[in-house]
Amino acid sequence: MLNSEQKQLLAQLSNTTLVNFVADIYGVDKILDKKIERLLLQSDKPKLIKKLTTTLKGLKRRRKFIDYWESSEFATELHHLASDVMSLYPQQPSQCLELIELFISSTNSSLQRCDDSNGEVGGVYSDLTQSWLTVASTCYEQEKSSLPIDEQDILSHAWVKKVKALADDNDYGTKDNLLKDIDQLLSEPEIRGLIADYQQEREIIQTKKANEDTLSERQNSPLSDGAFSINYEKMVIEIAIKNLTRALGDVGFFEAVFFEMQEIRPVHPRRLEELLTFLLDQGAYDKALHYLNEEWQSDGLMDKIRRLDWLSNIYHMQKDTDALMEVLGEVFELQSTPTRLKSIMAVASPAQQAQWRKRAYELAEQQESVFMATSLLLEIGEIELANQVAVARQAQFADVHYTALTGMLKELPAGTDLIQVIIYRSLMSDILDSARSKAYGHAARYYNHLVKLDKLVDRLDESYSGIDDHLKFVSALKDKHGKKRSFWERLDD
């Protein structure tokens, strides 16, 4: 993607230069060729629409399977195609909407024949939903303005029906956000009418579910395929109802709908988070606090932490510093990490910061994880003590995941040479002990870092007190892994 400066430079080029450039690259790439051909049709909209219609119909008829490594190229093709379709908006919204709907109709056929593990293809189709809402809103307003008032009810019914048909055809989840954002298109009465339609469907499916459950109990048998299908259909309908109530932004209505669909009270914390998210989006902080204090029930450590995080988020939005400090302190006691400590220091007064540095020092001594112990000490500036802890517990670094260790290396301050030595040795030993030959390049890089650190330790007249010096470590390394030639050959001379 060109930045604004590059676009300005491009605008200064002569037409002849640009024409010659386009002519030169035509034929290099098939997707680019199609893009150029459609660009040439921009001045002839009827031909462009005809070309896009043919391409989109052909897209739906394709059968060739697209492997994972080809999916990004396919997504790029779809992205360019969507861009060309949207070039008709806002000048020709009706034609644009027809093409978007034709495009959307290819969703299932495209995703059925594609390994979209990276989600790029589905992402293009998801973006089409937002484009549809934008263009449909313009079309609906234009249609309403051209009709007498007594005929607008018929038009309204038609658009609500169109929305429901589109939302219900969502096997791959590409239209998940359609009903959440439907207030861009439909009025409040139309949305409430659509909710009533789904509620009626829910009542029917509830009756079916009750009959299936009764039959299963009588026969003392597990759920049949039909029962699973009914449960799935019920779930889809309930998601649609909740998404529509989100679009309304009616707090009381959303609460009523949410709890109507809960079969068990109190609601599990993970389910309750759906309600909390909505309440915070609507700025209903007092209601959210009520549910966090009265409804949230769990003895699990992580659920306790999640509750406190919700509370801290609310108190931050309310600018209630005293309440925020209390909650941040409570969660830090449960999960004593540098990140938690930083959150406290960001809002604490100087006197409070001094108290929490002292508390962090105490908690660092209690940490079972050497990673957390050293990280906390480093966060409060106790570098020398952090080095001592790392040396005393050096063997425990082998139990720390390599991503945590490599991340720590990037943030270590000056004066942590011994910690760096211990971490690089641990990372390298882990690779060599496991004989992961594909990672020998990383192991060699860690070894070269150790060589540089040894020179630094020597120059600063520091000591390897408590750990083997570099020569002794290398000697032991050769004794243990000397036969791994593919590793030793990778080292710097």
Side-chain angles (χ1 to χ4, degrees):
M1 183 73 71
L2 294 177
N3 58 38
S4 57
E5 183 180 353
Q6 290 171 321
K7 288 180 179 178
Q8 288 177 359
L9 292 172
L10 191 62
Q12 295 173 14
L13 297 176
S14 67
N15 290 340
T16 302
T17 300
L18 291 173
V19 168
N20 290 336
F21 172 74
V22 172
D24 287 341
I25 63 172
Y26 186 80
V28 173
D29 180 84
K30 290 182 179 179
I31 295 178
L32 189 58
D33 289 350
K34 292 177 181 177
K35 181 70 176 175
I36 292 171
E37 290 167 2
R38 290 195 291 268
L39 185 63
L40 293 173
L41 292 173
Q42 286 295 329
S43 58
D44 190 340
K45 295 300 184 184
K47 284 188 178 180
L48 175 62
I49 292 170
K50 184 177 180 181
K51 177 71 174 178
L52 288 170
T53 301
T54 301
T55 302
L56 291 170
K57 286 181 177 178
L59 178 64
K60 196 172 181 178
R61 291 194 295 266
R62 293 184 194 178
R63 293 292 179 267
K64 179 181 178 295
F65 184 79
I66 299 169
D67 286 308
Y68 172 75
W69 56 86
E70 300 173 305
S71 61
S72 290
E73 183 179 342
F74 182 47
T76 300
E77 178 188 354
L78 295 177
H79 177 75
H80 289 318
L81 194 54
S83 178
D84 291 332
V85 170
M86 287 303 294
S87 70
L88 298 170
Y89 182 79
Q91 287 78 18
Q92 296 176 271
S94 297
Q95 291 85 347
C96 182
L97 187 65
E98 288 179 10
L99 289 172
I100 291 175
E101 290 176 350
L102 181 58
F103 201 159
I104 288 175
S105 70
S106 69
T107 302
N108 291 350
S109 60
S110 288
L111 289 171
Q112 282 170 0
R113 63 183 187 87
C114 177
D115 180 352
D116 190 36
S117 301
N118 58 20
E120 291 183 37
V121 175
V124 175
Y125 279 104
S126 294
D127 291 342
L128 275 178
T129 300
Q130 188 59 50
S131 297
W132 184 87
L133 276 172
T134 301
V135 180
S137 179
T138 299
C139 292
Y140 189 14
E141 288 302 319
Q142 288 182 350
E143 290 176 15
K144 278 197 290 189
S145 64
S146 64
L147 284 178
I149 295 177
D150 59 349
E151 294 182 18
Q152 289 185 5
D153 282 347
I154 299 174
L155 179 65
S156 172
H157 179 74
W159 273 96
V160 169
K161 186 176 179 180
K162 181 193 282 275
V163 167
K164 191 173 186 305
L166 197 63
D168 289 347
D169 182 19
N170 189 31
D171 292 345
Y172 289 90
T174 57
K175 305 185 187 79
D176 284 348
N177 292 325
L178 174 63
L179 297 182
K180 290 180 185 178
D181 299 326
I182 202 61
D183 56 314
Q184 298 176 29
L185 174 65
L186 301 182
S187 65
E188 180 178 336
E190 289 170 332
I191 295 173
R192 290 188 182 275
L194 190 51
I195 291 173
D197 290 342
Y198 277 112
Q199 286 176 327
Q200 189 174 13
E201 290 183 10
R202 182 173 181 269
E203 290 176 6
I204 295 171
I205 204 73
Q206 287 274 62
T207 302
K208 288 183 180 179
K209 183 178 184 303
N211 292 337
E212 282 287 340
D213 291 345
T214 302
L215 183 62
S216 297
E217 288 177 7
R218 286 176 179 173
Q219 298 178 347
N220 195 25
S221 62
L223 291 178
S224 64
D225 291 342
F228 278 115
S229 177
I230 288 171
N231 285 334
Y232 177 77
E233 188 177 350
K234 177 176 176 289
M235 179 190 70
V236 170
I237 291 171
E238 290 180 346
I239 290 173
I241 293 172
K242 284 188 284 189
N243 283 340
L244 286 166
T245 54
R246 280 192 186 91
L248 281 177
D250 185 329
V251 172
F253 189 29
F254 187 89
E255 285 180 292
V257 167
F258 177 81
F259 285 110
E260 180 188 343
M261 295 178 182
Q262 305 306 316
E263 297 178 358
I264 301 174
R265 295 288 297 271
V267 181
H268 190 278
R270 298 301 167 88
R271 287 184 177 272
L272 194 61
E273 287 184 333
E274 182 181 8
L275 174 60
L276 294 171
T277 299
F278 173 79
L279 293 174
L280 264 62
D281 287 343
Q282 301 302 317
Y285 303 130
D286 289 342
K287 280 187 173 291
L289 288 171
H290 167 77
Y291 289 117
L292 284 165
N293 292 322
E294 303 298 332
E295 188 80 23
W296 189 290
Q297 295 186 25
S298 174
D299 294 327
L301 175 61
M302 294 312 298
D303 282 333
K304 288 181 180 179
I305 290 172
R306 290 170 74 86
R307 174 182 171 272
L308 292 169
D309 283 339
W310 277 104
L311 288 171
S312 64
N313 191 18
I314 293 171
Y315 292 138
H316 174 75
M317 291 178 177
Q318 292 181 319
K319 296 181 170 54
D320 188 342
T321 305
D322 292 339
L324 177 59
M325 276 298 300
E326 183 178 346
V327 170
L328 290 176
E330 189 177 347
V331 74
F332 179 61
E333 294 284 347
L334 293 174
Q335 192 178 59
S336 307
T337 67
T339 302
R340 299 287 184 190
L341 184 58
K342 285 178 182 177
S343 297
I344 291 175
M345 295 304 188
V347 295
S349 66
Q352 289 172 324
Q353 288 179 352
Q355 292 174 357
W356 280 107
R357 283 193 185 92
K358 181 180 178 181
R359 183 58 182 148
Y361 180 88
E362 295 169 351
L363 289 171
E365 293 182 324
Q366 302 171 17
Q367 295 300 307
E368 294 183 5
S369 165
V370 66
F371 176 80
M372 281 302 168
T374 52
S375 295
L376 274 178
L377 291 170
L378 291 171
E379 185 62 31
I380 60 175
E382 293 286 349
I383 295 175
E384 184 176 346
L385 185 57
N387 278 310
Q388 293 174 11
V389 169
V391 169
R393 302 171 62 178
Q394 56 186 286
Q396 296 176 24
F397 279 91
D399 298 325
V400 181
H401 197 272
Y402 78 93
T403 56
L405 293 179
T406 53
M408 188 180 193
L409 283 169
K410 295 175 183 178
E411 299 180 359
L412 286 175
T416 56
D417 301 323
L418 288 182
I419 297 178
Q420 292 179 56
V421 168
I422 291 169
I423 291 177
Y424 279 124
R425 287 181 179 181
S426 179
L427 287 167
M428 184 176 63
S429 297
D430 177 54
I431 293 172
L432 295 177
D433 290 346
S434 304
R436 296 200 302 273
S437 57
K438 291 183 178 180
Y440 281 176
H442 294 296
R445 182 161 51 84
Y446 300 147
Y447 181 94
N448 293 329
H449 278 298
L450 288 170
V451 173
K452 294 175 183 177
L453 281 168
D454 180 57
K455 293 177 181 178
L456 182 62
V457 170
D458 184 58
R459 186 171 70 249
L460 296 177
D461 196 26
E462 293 181 340
S463 169
Y464 280 104
S465 177
I467 62 174
D468 293 340
D469 63 26
H470 185 66
L471 290 177
K472 189 173 182 180
F473 171 77
V474 173
S475 176
L477 192 70
K478 288 182 176 178
D479 288 342
K480 190 173 184 180
H481 300 293
K483 294 182 180 180
K484 294 183 171 69
R485 293 172 56 188
S486 59
F487 161 69
W488 295 100
E489 290 171 354
R490 294 171 185 262
L491 304 184
D492 291 343
D493 295 334

